[in-house]
Amino acid sequence: MTANKKKNNVEQSYQISLMKIRDGFEKAFDEFALSKPYILFVDGVDARPSEIESELYFDCISALTNAVLEINTTILAGKNIKIMPLMRPDVMYRMSIHNMNQKLRDNSVLLTWQTTYKDYVRSKLFRIADNYFSKQQDKAYEFEQCWKHYFPYEVYSKKGTIDNPFIEFLRYSTYKPRDILTMLNEMVEATRGEHFTKKDFLAMLSDYSRYVEGELKDYLLIYMSDENFSDFRAFFAYFVGHREFDYNFFMKRHLTYIKYLHELGRKIPSGMNTAQEALQLLYDANIIGYKEKRDDWRMYWSYKERSYANMNPPVKLGGNYLFHLAYAKAFDIL
């Protein structure tokens, strides 16, 4: 198939998808009127079926997203309802959507659970953790009481500061509620005690590592096959004992990895062809962060830097890097 013919087929597929979705929704929403505003969330869009190639998948969801944007501004305008696909930012930026930045600002909601170690007690993440225990009690307790009961110990940072145990949960998470709740579930399942200890937290990390790797696999299977993911995972064997590294170290390890795949006749996983591409992929997936020293060292993580103004933050080249604690544990790098 020639490139022009393939492009024409994609355009035709887009037009057909757009018309079918438009007609279907137009008929459905013409049948009733809503007195209150609603948002119809469409989930599962960023889960690629294994039988569909990555390129075709992105063509399909590009058509879907364009159709949704069209519907929201035409037939649904004034009907008190908006359709909103739930989608990862990295998936959106891979789609061929005209004027993406402006459309994201006008039509999307960026979910963020950011907090700091100093202000964690005021965060929604900590409230979720406290509610995890308080909602299971026979009577009502003040905020923080249940957490303090179940986690009576303290933790210590490398700087020698004394912290609440919740800080450890933040260190091993990417600031998602599911991360925190998974760790809590694993600890409850393993102990059944009246309270937890630091030893219980450390014991939980083995099971949590399997969750972390599963999440990463789900994230990357949009771009690669199961076989590609196995080859991708092999990359981290070159970093055992090196949680921190610089760009030159990374380039050497990447070159060795590429030679290894070539010797086996294996296909290089998507996003891993060059050291620069690989570094960006690991940063996008929150596997690594980079640090810069100004007055003091500051860490940069993709999940913390993402905003409406910077939905796809770039990694710094030539810098100093650090594996996220959760992935360092999952890949036996520590």
Side-chain angles (χ1 to χ4, degrees):
M1 181 183 292
T2 64
N4 286 336
K5 188 174 181 180
K6 186 176 182 180
K7 183 177 179 180
N8 290 336
N9 286 343
V10 170
E11 290 288 340
Q12 186 178 12
S13 174
Y14 161 69
Q15 293 297 333
I16 292 173
S17 298
L18 179 62
M19 293 305 298
K20 284 184 177 180
I21 294 172
R22 180 190 176 99
D23 291 345
F25 276 104
E26 190 167 5
K27 290 175 183 178
F29 290 109
D30 273 344
E31 295 177 2
F32 60 93
L34 300 172
S35 58
K36 296 181 179 179
Y38 287 87
I39 296 176
L40 176 61
F41 293 103
V42 182
D43 200 5
V45 177
D46 52 5
R48 179 178 65 87
S50 59
E51 66 274 13
I52 297 179
E53 294 294 328
S54 182
E55 185 178 351
L56 179 58
Y57 159 78
F58 278 102
D59 288 339
C60 290
I61 62 170
S62 293
L64 171 65
T65 304
N66 274 308
V68 167
L69 290 170
E70 171 83 6
I71 289 170
N72 282 339
T73 56
T74 55
I75 65 175
L76 294 187
K79 289 187 178 290
N80 275 333
I81 191 165
K82 176 180 285 189
I83 303 169
M84 185 172 291
L86 300 177
M87 208 175 301
R88 293 167 8 198
D90 64 292
V91 173
M92 299 193 73
Y93 268 89
R94 281 285 301 271
M95 296 188 297
S96 55
I97 305 295
H98 177 67
N99 198 16
M100 174 63 83
N101 282 338
Q102 189 59 48
K103 288 179 178 177
L104 280 175
R105 285 177 175 273
D106 294 342
N107 298 279
S108 69
V109 175
L110 177 64
L111 298 180
T112 177
W113 300 85
Q114 297 302 333
T115 185
T116 65
Y117 292 169
K118 290 183 179 179
D119 295 330
Y120 77 90
V121 75
R122 293 187 289 181
S123 70
K124 292 179 181 178
L125 283 176
F126 182 67
R127 186 165 292 277
I128 288 172
D130 185 66
N131 283 343
Y132 179 92
F133 297 104
S134 64
K135 298 298 183 183
Q136 301 180 47
Q137 308 306 314
D138 294 330
K139 65 176 184 178
Y141 287 90
E142 293 291 325
F143 177 58
E144 274 194 280
Q145 273 189 277
C146 289
W147 180 266
K148 288 179 179 179
H149 171 80
Y150 285 103
F151 291 89
Y153 64 94
E154 296 174 328
V155 296
Y156 301 88
S157 71
K158 290 183 178 180
K159 295 180 179 180
T161 59
I162 300 174
D163 293 323
N164 186 282
F166 187 70
I167 300 302
E168 290 279 77
F169 285 80
L170 290 179
R171 287 179 181 141
Y172 279 88
S173 78
T174 53
Y175 289 31
K176 293 186 299 187
R178 184 163 52 189
D179 294 348
I180 305 297
L181 292 174
T182 297
M183 284 187 266
L184 290 175
N185 283 333
E186 294 291 350
M187 291 183 75
V188 169
E189 287 292 324
T191 59
R192 303 290 184 182
E194 287 297 319
H195 57 79
F196 303 107
T197 65
K198 171 75 171 181
K199 184 178 179 181
D200 294 326
F201 180 86
L202 295 176
M204 169 273 298
L205 292 177
S206 294
D207 289 331
Y208 180 65
S209 291
R210 287 192 283 273
Y211 155 80
V212 167
E213 186 168 348
E215 289 286 286
L216 177 63
K217 186 174 182 179
D218 288 342
Y219 176 94
L220 290 175
L221 284 182
I222 289 180
Y223 307 110
M224 59 184 70
S225 65
D226 281 314
E227 185 179 14
N228 288 154
F229 180 79
S230 296
D231 291 332
F232 168 80
R233 198 191 187 289
F235 181 57
F236 301 105
Y238 297 96
F239 292 86
V240 173
H242 298 277
R243 187 186 169 210
E244 297 188 44
F245 55 93
D246 61 20
Y247 190 58
N248 288 331
F249 183 90
F250 184 84
M251 287 194 297
K252 291 175 182 177
R253 291 298 189 271
H254 180 266
L255 181 60
T256 304
Y257 166 71
I258 295 299
K259 288 181 177 178
Y260 165 76
L261 292 181
H262 283 159
E263 288 172 359
L264 294 179
R266 310 287 293 213
K267 183 179 179 181
I268 300 173
S270 177
M272 296 292 288
N273 285 285
T274 67
Q276 184 174 339
E277 283 181 316
L279 200 69
Q280 184 65 50
L281 176 62
L282 300 190
Y283 184 67
D284 289 341
N286 301 310
I287 297 172
I288 64 168
Y290 68 91
K291 57 183 182 178
E292 283 185 334
K293 187 171 185 179
R294 294 177 182 176
D295 295 332
D296 197 0
W297 284 104
R298 182 197 165 185
M299 283 300 305
Y300 293 83
W301 300 98
S302 181
Y303 65 90
K304 289 185 177 182
E305 298 304 310
R306 192 172 291 121
S307 66
Y308 278 115
N310 190 19
M311 291 289 282
N312 197 30
V315 68
K316 180 180 179 180
L317 299 180
N320 295 289
Y321 310 95
L322 182 74
F323 278 98
H324 191 286
L325 265 174
Y327 291 108
K329 174 71 175 176
F331 297 138
D332 296 319
I333 291 170
L334 288 174

